[in-house]
Amino acid sequence: MEAGTLKDWIARTLESELAPAFLDVVDESHLHAGHAGWRESGETHFRLDIVSAAFEGKSRVERHRIVNGLMSGAFARGLHALAVKARTPAEAA
């Protein structure tokens, strides 16, 4: 995994692999202070909103599996929780 923030790595990976029409990566770690997996340094809990044609014809579960599979490096780096909203361009319109 490259140097830099985990948030940046997540965004670069998703942009590279899924060519999203829209991507929002939000670090919500501060909302989970004291909870399982939380670290004072942050970057443990993220929320994603991603719109990509790669999700066409895929169920919600399949979309989440795609995203979570791409995030294996982030989980290895300390990501604890990932909330995912994955839509197609038609669903986002």
Side-chain angles (χ1 to χ4, degrees):
M1 181 171 293
E2 300 172 20
T5 67
L6 185 55
K7 179 180 177 177
D8 291 341
W9 183 90
I10 291 170
R12 280 193 309 271
T13 300
L14 293 172
E15 288 166 355
S16 170
E17 298 295 324
L18 299 176
F22 174 80
L23 176 62
D24 188 30
V25 181
V26 179
D27 184 349
E28 295 186 335
S29 301
H30 64 285
L31 300 175
H32 301 273
H35 297 172
W38 177 80
R39 288 186 315 272
E40 201 168 315
S41 60
E43 296 205 310
T44 57
H45 296 72
F46 283 88
R47 178 172 302 280
L48 300 178
D49 186 357
I50 181 169
V51 176
S52 174
F55 299 135
E56 295 285 347
K58 305 276 193 292
S59 71
R60 181 174 177 232
V61 170
E62 290 170 317
R63 295 171 188 193
H64 285 232
R65 284 181 180 153
I66 290 167
V67 171
N68 284 324
L70 292 171
M71 295 295 102
S72 62
F75 283 104
R77 188 170 163 179
L79 176 61
H80 177 74
L82 183 64
V84 178
K85 182 176 184 181
R87 300 173 288 158
T88 67
E91 292 167 337

